[in-house]
Amino acid sequence: MTIAELLHQRDGAYTREMLLAPGGFGLGVVPDRERPDATTASTCGFCSTGCSLNVHLKDGVAVGLTPNTEYPVNLGMACPKGWEALNVLKAADRATTPLIKNAQGKFEPVDWDIAMRTFCSRMKQIQREHGPNSVAWLGTGQIATEEMALLGSLAKFGMGVLHGDGNTRQCMATAVVAYKQSFGFDAPPYTYQDFEETDCMVLVGANVCIAHPILWERVMRNKRSPEIIVVDPRRTETAMNATQHLAIQPKSDLALFYGLAHILIQNDWLDHDYIAAHTNGFDEFAAHVKPFTPEAVSATTGISIESLYKVARTIHERERVSFWWTMGVNQSYEGTRTAQALINLALMTGNMGRPGTGANSITGQCNAMGSRLYSNTTNLLGGREFTSEADRREVSNILGIDKKKIPTQNSWAYPEIMKGILEGKIKGLWVIATNPSHSWINQTQARDILDRLDFLVVQDMYSSTETAREADLILPAAGWGEKEGTFINSERRIGLHKKVAKAPGEALADFHIFKLIAHYWGCEDLFIEWRSPEATFQIMKRLSAGQPCDITGIRDYQHLDEVGGIQWPFVEGVDGRALRVESEEAEDLPSASDPQPFSQRRLFEDGRYHHADGRAKFLFEAPRPMPEPPSAEYPFILLTGRGTAAQWHTQTRTAKSAVLRKLSPQSVYVEISPDDARSLAIRPQDWVSVSSQRGTLRARAFVTPTVQPGQVFIAMHYEEANQLTDAVFDPYSRQPSYKACAVKVTRSAS
Ligand SMILES: Nc1nc2c(c(=O)[nH]1)N[C@H]1C(S)=C(S)[C@@H](COP(=O)(O)OP(=O)(O)OC[C@H]3O[C@@H](n4cnc5c(=O)[nH]c(N)nc54)[C@H](O)[C@@H]3O)O[C@H]1N2
Ligand SMILES: Nc1nc2c(c(=O)[nH]1)N[C@H]1C(S)=C(S)[C@@H](COP(=O)(O)OP(=O)(O)OC[C@H]3O[C@@H](n4cnc5c(=O)[nH]c(N)nc54)[C@H](O)[C@@H]3O)O[C@H]1N2
Ligand code: SF4
Ligand SMILES: [Mo]
């Protein structure tokens, strides 16, 4: 049977023509068929800010875009990546057909039928020879929630593959675990309006100006003259705009926050009512922070005693204090406790649930939040637990699948999957929308590990990524703009993105690739109802019912489109009641120009958390030394992170835009302080070698006072960066500690 015939047999909804026709298949909110020259709004597919972009169509195909002025997130603004989102789709290295590596190591184009047969026969053969768990997958925070839900369900319920994790392990795992333990559910509580409503923001390990530029624009709209306290070892673009910059010693954050708690307690700058009514464990926490005296903390962090008091006093005096953190916290060997130390500060001062307050993790990828709830990796669909019998029963009832198909144990986390490959337990790996041969920690080891696989499949938009080049099979994927679905942004807002362009060649939406695999694997009967992304969205709604992330009040894609995205929870009959009013009263529907009550919603306004007793927990632990401190041989601490607003991660996308290439350095550079440069006789733009115990790279020196003596910084966008990093992890979240290891720097001959 040909693939066309195979695809035809599913109730006419799924033909090859439909999959591959220009502008053809699966447009939930059909911009092109009915209004071929209209403009349609679509949520950006880069960062977690979730800006809305107006895509302008001609004959149903995108010809340009401008930021949406009506959307409550970006209010008419976009960063360079958003403006260039359509242009990164046009590239010579787009994967346009499936590719199989032949015996000579060369890629040969094949059709989808051969690709699918190869995928299934190789994976099944590995499972037969080495057991069902010898196959694993690595997913992403950058595909639609519907695609994540289908992938996780296909892998676990359909293919019997237990181990799968996402690149969100590299990114958000710490915040997830911190929230779950402290609040009882993974629930970032804020709304972006809080950037405008706060009168004191504490930004920790977050370079918002570069990584979330449109959120910084929201800060700039704040009319309360907010105190902006930035905690970052570097004088980042964000720190330059701070009213107080605490240039702490790397990884001394935990001591710093315990020290601030100590001062707040010492001066009785506490909200006793809030602590008594809504929390557990405060007395133990107070005892724990007793030894963190200003003197001791000043010595550890390098922050003066006066500055410590000043920050504590500011937190006490301001009415609406908000605590924000990103990768400077999450990517640490003690990240979970550090995030919780910030949560503790918010709880003890009663800075929760009110406008402009909160303990707020800013997420990274466009759909990190979707992956947290629906990827079916470490959580069972809808924020449930695989280990809970009741949760498994619920999911089995909602999906109508046999309970025995739902694993009773958690998947291995990303580092355990890597270890599993190293130990020969995993032989087949399927990588979807992530580029581990660049982004995973300690590449010397990571590449050796990936080399050991019997079968590596990479599903990506481009055939040229560092990981795709190593693959045995490449599955060509459509990208943002070439397919539709929903993303969930940092403030829990579900936004819609749309198909406005045809994917090149035979590239397919990930959703359709998963459907094809289900078919060839022989488990498509489990997914009959998952007909399209929008049908899957209706399944997600059912999976959310009664959960803290309940979205049963959202009608459909059109509803999301009409009101400018909707934040969870949005419960049918509660939040959703006005929205079930049908057409003649349609003016009752909230719109983006009517921002309350629907377009800005924060959590925990009633002080009730998700633990059984409704209280939040104070959690804490003694700080530990840095796993690889500087030494005589490796005297510098290497920091890594985002370089410019124009570069996205491993640059598979952003490097394709001529505009974005002009806005960022093309090859790897290392930021070093003027003092250190002088003592090493390094001049600006000199070639230098940077080595750790794991590898060496050559880079141009960028001499800048923004880094402290004894520290250097390399942006993660360059393949070389992770040749130096040290594979250590937070014990609770198992997130990699990308941000600190020991290196040496020497001037190298030209
Ligand atoms: N332009 C652009 N924007 C992006 C991305 C991108 O690739 N490019 N990626 C997106 C993603 S997925 C993410 S996760 C976010 C990341 O957003 P951010 O976390 O804001 O970005 P990073 O630069 O990785 O790290 C933030 C800061 O942590 C600091 N830091 C390092 N060590 C420590 C420490 O010990 N303590 C403290 N307090 N700070 C420390 C670094 O100096 C750095 O300035 O950005 C998102 N936005
Ligand atoms: N040293 C160091 N390393 C880091 C970090 C750091 O701060 N320092 N940060 C870490 C963090 S926070 C993150 S999030 C990771 C990011 O690491 P990665 O996830 O590896 O980075 P990306 O470049 O975003 O990779 C996404 C891949 O998906 C492809 N893609 C894009 N859209 C689609 C789609 O719709 N479908 C499919 N199938 N493919 C698609 C892209 O072409 C690209 O190859 O890096 C981590 N690595
Ligand atoms: S800030 Fe983020 S969501 Fe907004 S346009 Fe830029 S990349 Fe897209
Ligand atoms: Mo990230």
Side-chain angles (χ1 to χ4, degrees):
M1 211 188 286
T2 67
I3 185 171
E5 286 163 338
L6 283 169
L7 291 170
H8 262 297
Q9 54 183 35
R10 175 83 27 239
D11 65 23
Y14 215 74
T15 67
R16 183 175 202 274
E17 288 66 35
M18 285 171 131
L19 287 170
L20 300 179
F25 185 77
L27 289 161
V29 183
V30 187
D32 59 344
R33 268 180 248 157
E34 287 169 7
R35 296 179 301 143
D37 293 331
T39 286
T40 191
S42 193
T43 308
C44 178
F46 283 104
C47 90
S48 63
T49 304
C51 298
S52 176
L53 305 168
N54 277 331
V55 182
H56 310 295
L57 305 165
K58 188 152 180 31
D59 301 327
V61 174
V63 289
L65 62 77
T66 49
N68 189 344
T69 53
E70 302 288 306
Y71 203 68
V73 168
N74 52 315
L75 315 167
M77 301 174 280
C79 85
K81 296 183 295 303
W83 279 101
E84 283 297 289
L86 289 168
N87 290 334
V88 307
L89 299 173
K90 303 172 202 135
D93 62 344
R94 281 297 298 271
T96 54
T97 65
L99 296 166
I100 288 183
K101 199 173 265 170
N102 65 20
Q104 290 73 46
K106 278 217 155 68
F107 283 115
E108 280 177 8
V110 292
D111 69 16
W112 276 104
D113 184 49
I114 294 179
M116 290 293 97
R117 287 177 199 279
T118 308
F119 179 96
C120 295
S121 65
R122 293 292 305 272
M123 292 296 192
K124 284 184 174 184
Q125 187 195 353
I126 291 172
Q127 282 186 319
R128 261 194 315 273
E129 285 173 14
H130 305 280
N133 296 342
S134 57
V135 165
W137 53 279
L138 292 173
T140 185
Q142 296 177 58
I143 59 177
T145 321
E146 294 79 356
E147 296 178 325
M148 293 172 177
L150 178 55
L151 166 60
S153 303
L154 164 66
K156 293 211 173 171
F157 312 149
M159 298 165 64
V161 171
L162 173 64
H163 298 310
D165 199 13
N167 67 356
T168 36
R169 180 72 51 190
Q170 295 161 294
C171 182
M172 299 319 308
T174 292
V176 172
V177 176
Y179 278 136
K180 270 183 156 177
Q181 293 181 345
S182 294
F183 295 164
F185 196 78
D186 174 21
Y190 61 99
T191 184
Y192 289 161
Q193 191 66 22
D194 290 324
F195 285 112
E196 299 185 26
E197 306 239 350
T198 188
D199 63 11
C200 172
M201 55 190 318
V202 184
L203 285 162
V204 185
N207 191 3
V208 183
C209 290
I210 293 298
H212 300 90
I214 301 307
L215 296 184
W216 186 257
E217 296 288 343
R218 298 292 296 271
V219 176
M220 292 292 94
R221 291 162 55 94
N222 186 311
K223 297 198 170 64
R224 295 168 191 271
S225 314
E227 197 72 26
I228 300 177
I229 301 168
V230 169
V231 182
D232 196 309
R234 296 190 301 139
R235 191 154 188 274
T236 59
E237 294 77 356
T238 313
M240 289 174 199
N241 287 292
T243 53
Q244 300 178 44
H245 173 207
L246 306 186
I248 53 162
Q249 277 306 304
K251 301 291 156 277
S252 63
D253 303 66
L254 197 49
L256 173 69
F257 304 139
Y258 291 159
L260 293 176
H262 177 108
I263 299 175
L264 292 168
I265 294 169
Q266 184 186 50
N267 292 282
D268 199 22
W269 290 338
L270 304 171
D271 186 335
H272 291 284
D273 292 344
Y274 198 89
I275 294 170
H278 303 300
T279 71
N280 282 323
F282 177 71
D283 292 343
E284 295 82 351
F285 176 61
H288 172 79
V289 300
K290 246 206 163 103
F292 292 86
T293 60
E295 294 71 24
V297 169
S298 174
T300 313
T301 58
I303 306 298
S304 71
I305 293 175
E306 298 73 56
S307 302
L308 294 173
Y309 273 104
K310 186 171 172 202
V311 174
R313 181 176 291 282
T314 310
I315 292 172
H316 167 60
E317 286 174 352
R318 293 287 167 134
E319 298 278 310
R320 301 166 162 207
V321 184
S322 51
F323 299 87
W324 309 82
W325 79 86
T326 318
M327 291 308 120
V329 171
N330 284 355
Q331 292 173 343
S332 159
Y333 59 91
E334 54 188 7
T336 302
R337 292 295 180 247
T338 308
Q340 287 166 336
L342 286 168
I343 292 173
N344 296 348
L345 288 173
L347 292 172
M348 69 198 281
T349 54
N351 277 298
M352 287 295 301
R354 290 182 289 114
T357 65
N360 306 329
S361 134
I362 308 175
T363 58
Q365 303 169 81
C366 54
N367 205 16
M369 290 285 287
S371 119
R372 286 155 78 158
L373 289 179
Y374 286 103
S375 64
N376 213 30
T377 49
T378 39
N379 288 332
L380 179 57
L381 298 164
R384 294 181 176 80
E385 299 296 331
F386 283 101
T387 49
S388 151
E389 155 81 31
D391 284 358
R392 291 198 305 274
R393 196 174 39 239
E394 245 174 32
V395 169
S396 126
N397 288 340
I398 295 167
L399 297 181
I401 58 166
D402 183 352
K403 209 175 72 187
K404 288 203 266 326
K405 291 197 179 298
I406 304 180
T408 56
Q409 46 176 314
N410 286 321
S411 158
W412 280 347
Y414 200 139
E416 293 163 319
I417 291 175
M418 294 297 272
K419 188 159 161 267
I421 302 169
L422 182 66
E423 291 171 352
K425 293 178 186 154
I426 291 177
K427 300 279 188 186
L429 186 70
W430 177 22
V431 174
I432 304 105
T434 184
N435 188 7
S437 297
H438 174 142
S439 61
W440 189 244
I441 198 160
N442 185 359
Q443 277 301 313
T444 314
Q445 191 191 37
R447 293 206 178 175
D448 167 53
I449 290 174
L450 295 175
D451 274 351
R452 292 165 188 252
L453 288 162
D454 287 350
F455 190 50
L456 172 63
V457 181
V458 172
Q459 181 167 323
D460 203 288
M461 294 167 63
Y462 305 97
S463 54
S464 61
T465 75
E466 289 93 342
T467 317
R469 291 199 299 261
E470 302 305 315
D472 300 293
L473 171 65
I474 297 176
L475 302 177
W480 176 90
E482 298 164 345
K483 56 180 181 171
E484 91 241 340
T486 59
F487 296 141
I488 310 181
N489 78 357
S490 282
E491 54 164 2
R492 312 179 317 284
R493 185 179 304 275
I494 300 164
L496 185 62
H497 62 278
K498 296 176 194 161
K499 180 171 179 180
V500 291
K502 185 194 173 310
E506 302 221 336
L508 291 178
D510 295 285
F511 190 88
H512 299 133
I513 300 176
F514 302 144
K515 289 285 285 187
L516 276 183
I517 291 176
H519 173 85
Y520 279 80
W521 196 273
C523 60
E524 70 180 328
D525 288 352
L526 291 177
F527 304 104
I528 289 174
E529 231 194 298
W530 308 54
R531 201 163 290 116
S532 62
E534 188 159 15
T536 303
F537 182 76
Q538 295 300 331
I539 298 172
M540 283 163 39
K541 278 169 59 179
R542 294 192 338 243
L543 285 163
S544 78
Q547 291 291 100
C549 55
D550 191 320
I551 51 166
T552 49
I554 304 176
R555 196 182 61 231
D556 52 16
Y557 277 2
Q558 200 182 344
H559 182 188
L560 288 172
D561 217 25
E562 282 163 4
V563 301
I566 295 176
Q567 289 165 288
W568 66 255
F570 201 76
V571 182
E572 186 176 29
V574 181
D575 308 292
R577 64 184 174 277
L579 304 160
R580 286 187 293 151
V581 180
E582 287 310 335
S583 52
E584 66 271 26
E585 285 165 86
E587 62 271 22
D588 288 347
L589 295 175
S591 74
S593 51
D594 162 26
Q596 295 296 341
F598 295 119
S599 69
Q600 298 292 341
R601 300 156 76 244
R602 63 183 64 79
L603 303 181
F604 310 129
E605 285 175 325
D606 58 0
R608 272 199 71 76
Y609 293 88
H610 296 296
H611 285 301
D613 62 1
R615 288 164 176 270
K617 280 189 187 147
F618 283 92
L619 293 164
F620 48 86
E621 191 171 317
R624 287 182 289 128
M626 205 186 280
E628 191 181 69
S631 61
E633 192 180 354
Y634 298 99
F636 289 92
I637 295 178
L638 169 68
L639 305 174
T640 65
R642 274 74 197 154
T644 68
Q647 288 165 296
W648 180 255
H649 293 161
T650 73
Q651 296 212 78
T652 65
R653 287 197 272 171
T654 44
K656 306 296 147 54
S657 149
V659 172
L660 297 179
R661 281 198 304 273
K662 282 207 174 114
L663 295 175
S664 56
Q666 290 310 292
S667 56
V668 57
Y669 59 94
V670 53
E671 297 185 8
I672 183 164
S673 76
D675 285 0
D676 288 329
R678 206 171 304 119
S679 61
L680 294 168
I682 292 169
R683 287 158 313 182
Q685 293 302 316
D686 274 355
W687 282 105
V688 297
S689 301
V690 186
S691 320
S692 73
Q693 291 198 50
R694 294 152 294 278
T696 298
L697 61 79
R698 283 181 83 237
R700 292 276 191 187
F702 176 19
V703 180
T704 167
T706 56
V707 290
Q708 300 186 52
Q711 299 169 20
V712 292
F713 174 83
I714 298 179
M716 55 117 10
H717 311 298
Y718 306 97
E719 186 183 345
E720 297 89 338
N722 278 319
Q723 289 168 14
L724 304 178
T725 48
D726 183 19
V728 290
F729 305 92
D730 177 277
Y732 306 101
S733 69
R734 282 159 297 177
Q735 179 156 345
S737 188
Y738 282 112
K739 296 245 188 284
C741 69
V743 295
K744 67 180 163 198
V745 182
T746 48
R747 214 177 75 155
S748 63
S750 64

